[in-house]
Structure formats: C-alpha cells, structure tokens
Amino acid sequence: MRERATVAKIGPDGLLLDDGHELPAETVVWTAGFRVPGLAAASGLATDEHGRMRVDGALRSVSHPEVFGIGDAAAARTAGGQSRMSCQTGLPMGLQAGDAVADLLAGREPRRARIRYVWQNISLGRHDGVTQFTRADDSPLGAVLTGRASATFKEAITRGTVWRMRHPGPYGPGA
C-alpha cells in the first residue's frame, strides 16, 4: 500500500508513480478521496475546513441564506455529526432543498432537512460490491452484503430513487 502517491500511469504489469518509481502488480486497487471545488469559498460563502459550504437545518448557507447547498458541496448536520459525501446524501438533499425553495416562495418557513443513513456502499463494478448497513447516525451494524448481492441491492436502490423522484406521490418529496 502506498498512500498519497501520485500515479502517472497504469500498465499491464503494475503502475508508474510520478516520482519515477515503478510498482509491479498483478492487481491494482486505486482509491481516491473526494475534493470539493473551491467555488463556495471563492464566492465568499462560509465553508468548513474541507471547503464545503456550511448550511443551516434547511440547507441554506449560514452566511448567505438566499443560497442553498446540497450534496458533496454542503456540510449539513446529521444525527452522527456532519453529512458525508455520497449519493445517499446528495439525492435527498436535492429534493429537500427544492421543497425549501417552494416553502419560501409560498411564504412558509422552510422545514429542517432530515439526513439519515442506513448503509455505506462501495461499488466494485456492475456485478460486485460491499454494503455495510448502519444506524441513522452512520455507525455500523453487523449486517453486510458482498459480491453480486451488494451490486444488485445498490442497483435496486438507485433505480427506486430515480423512480421516486419522477413519481413523488403521497409519500414522496414534500409529503
């Protein structure tokens, strides 16, 4: 394992680092962190130490309440502390921010966003993955899915989320 190394090239026999070192390998697992663009900070919005926009309970910027922040670019409060970067955070926040804007346009105070977690998932291609189920505060439970079962689970959740966004119904966004 080599942390904080910049990869210049991946080849059939391993990889080449930008410092010229060659690392032979039959299998390479390359992970990368998330990085937020500097737009929020450059625009004068209040940000956290990672550059994510600091938002209130209704997902409005704490420094510019006319601006809403969602997804990976926003640092919202959760039961476990602060929102994490994931589609499990971004999609619901987008729906909740839309509801908050609708509330403002209707002269109502926006409702607080509810951000909870029920799993963490890592996709390893279309047919493999790992799913760790969690409590609402994002702490792990003992239940885990791996392999094809994990990939099938994530695909079902993704398709269901997209369907629900297109067909809100009585239990969808704003209910």
Short mmCIF file of all heavy atoms in Angstrom, two decimals, residues 39 49 55 57 59-60 71 111 117 130 133 148 151 174:
data_model
loop_
_atom_site.label_atom_id
_atom_site.label_comp_id
_atom_site.label_asym_id
_atom_site.label_seq_id
_atom_site.Cartn_x
_atom_site.Cartn_y
_atom_site.Cartn_z
N LEU A 39 -15.20 26.79 -5.42
CA LEU A 39 -16.18 27.80 -5.81
C LEU A 39 -16.87 28.45 -4.61
O LEU A 39 -17.00 29.68 -4.56
CB LEU A 39 -17.24 27.19 -6.74
CG LEU A 39 -18.33 28.14 -7.22
CD1 LEU A 39 -17.72 29.28 -8.03
CD2 LEU A 39 -19.35 27.39 -8.05
N GLU A 49 -13.60 23.29 6.99
CA GLU A 49 -12.17 23.07 6.73
C GLU A 49 -11.90 22.28 5.46
O GLU A 49 -10.78 22.25 4.96
CB GLU A 49 -11.51 22.38 7.93
CG GLU A 49 -12.01 20.97 8.22
CD GLU A 49 -13.29 20.90 9.05
OE1 GLU A 49 -13.92 21.95 9.31
OE2 GLU A 49 -13.68 19.79 9.43
N VAL A 55 -24.08 24.96 5.94
CA VAL A 55 -25.51 25.21 5.75
C VAL A 55 -26.25 25.04 7.07
O VAL A 55 -25.80 24.35 7.98
CB VAL A 55 -26.12 24.27 4.68
CG1 VAL A 55 -25.51 24.55 3.31
CG2 VAL A 55 -25.96 22.81 5.05
N GLY A 57 -30.13 24.15 9.05
CA GLY A 57 -31.01 22.99 9.02
C GLY A 57 -31.88 22.88 7.78
O GLY A 57 -32.32 21.80 7.42
N LEU A 59 -30.74 23.77 4.81
CA LEU A 59 -29.75 23.68 3.73
C LEU A 59 -29.40 25.03 3.10
O LEU A 59 -28.87 25.08 1.99
CB LEU A 59 -30.18 22.67 2.65
CG LEU A 59 -30.50 21.27 3.17
CD1 LEU A 59 -30.98 20.37 2.04
CD2 LEU A 59 -29.30 20.66 3.87
N ARG A 60 -29.67 26.13 3.83
CA ARG A 60 -29.28 27.45 3.36
C ARG A 60 -27.88 27.78 3.87
O ARG A 60 -27.52 27.42 4.99
CB ARG A 60 -30.25 28.51 3.88
CG ARG A 60 -31.66 28.37 3.34
CD ARG A 60 -32.57 29.40 3.95
NE ARG A 60 -32.74 29.07 5.37
CZ ARG A 60 -33.71 29.54 6.13
NH1 ARG A 60 -34.57 30.40 5.63
NH2 ARG A 60 -33.81 29.20 7.38
N GLY A 71 -25.65 18.13 -1.42
CA GLY A 71 -24.73 17.10 -1.88
C GLY A 71 -23.33 17.25 -1.32
O GLY A 71 -23.13 17.72 -0.20
N ARG A 111 -38.77 23.80 6.10
CA ARG A 111 -38.61 22.74 7.09
C ARG A 111 -37.15 22.31 7.18
O ARG A 111 -36.40 22.44 6.21
CB ARG A 111 -39.47 21.53 6.71
CG ARG A 111 -40.96 21.84 6.86
CD ARG A 111 -41.76 20.81 6.12
NE ARG A 111 -41.78 21.28 4.71
CZ ARG A 111 -42.41 20.69 3.74
NH1 ARG A 111 -43.05 19.58 3.95
NH2 ARG A 111 -42.40 21.18 2.53
N TYR A 117 -28.72 7.97 7.63
CA TYR A 117 -28.07 6.94 6.83
C TYR A 117 -28.58 5.57 7.22
O TYR A 117 -29.00 5.35 8.35
CB TYR A 117 -26.55 7.00 7.03
CG TYR A 117 -25.99 8.33 6.58
CD1 TYR A 117 -25.58 9.29 7.49
CD2 TYR A 117 -25.90 8.63 5.23
CE1 TYR A 117 -25.08 10.51 7.07
CE2 TYR A 117 -25.40 9.84 4.80
CZ TYR A 117 -25.00 10.78 5.72
OH TYR A 117 -24.53 11.99 5.30
N VAL A 130 -19.60 -4.00 -1.85
CA VAL A 130 -19.70 -4.25 -0.41
C VAL A 130 -20.70 -3.24 0.15
O VAL A 130 -20.59 -2.04 -0.12
CB VAL A 130 -18.34 -4.06 0.30
CG1 VAL A 130 -18.49 -4.25 1.80
CG2 VAL A 130 -17.29 -5.00 -0.28
N PHE A 133 -24.44 -2.06 6.42
CA PHE A 133 -25.63 -1.41 6.95
C PHE A 133 -25.26 -0.63 8.21
O PHE A 133 -24.36 -1.03 8.96
CB PHE A 133 -26.74 -2.43 7.20
CG PHE A 133 -27.27 -2.99 5.90
CD1 PHE A 133 -26.73 -4.15 5.37
CD2 PHE A 133 -28.24 -2.32 5.20
CE1 PHE A 133 -27.19 -4.65 4.16
CE2 PHE A 133 -28.71 -2.81 3.99
CZ PHE A 133 -28.18 -3.98 3.47
N ARG A 148 -22.25 -10.02 -5.66
CA ARG A 148 -23.38 -9.71 -6.54
C ARG A 148 -24.59 -9.22 -5.75
O ARG A 148 -25.33 -8.36 -6.23
CB ARG A 148 -23.74 -10.92 -7.38
CG ARG A 148 -24.75 -10.58 -8.45
CD ARG A 148 -24.58 -11.54 -9.62
NE ARG A 148 -25.48 -11.18 -10.69
CZ ARG A 148 -25.13 -10.45 -11.73
NH1 ARG A 148 -23.92 -9.99 -11.83
NH2 ARG A 148 -26.00 -10.17 -12.67
N ALA A 151 -24.16 -5.56 -5.25
CA ALA A 151 -24.36 -4.83 -6.51
C ALA A 151 -25.83 -4.77 -6.88
O ALA A 151 -26.34 -3.73 -7.30
CB ALA A 151 -23.55 -5.48 -7.63
N GLY A 174 -41.79 16.31 -0.09
CA GLY A 174 -42.78 17.30 0.30
C GLY A 174 -43.96 16.74 1.06
O GLY A 174 -44.84 17.47 1.49
#
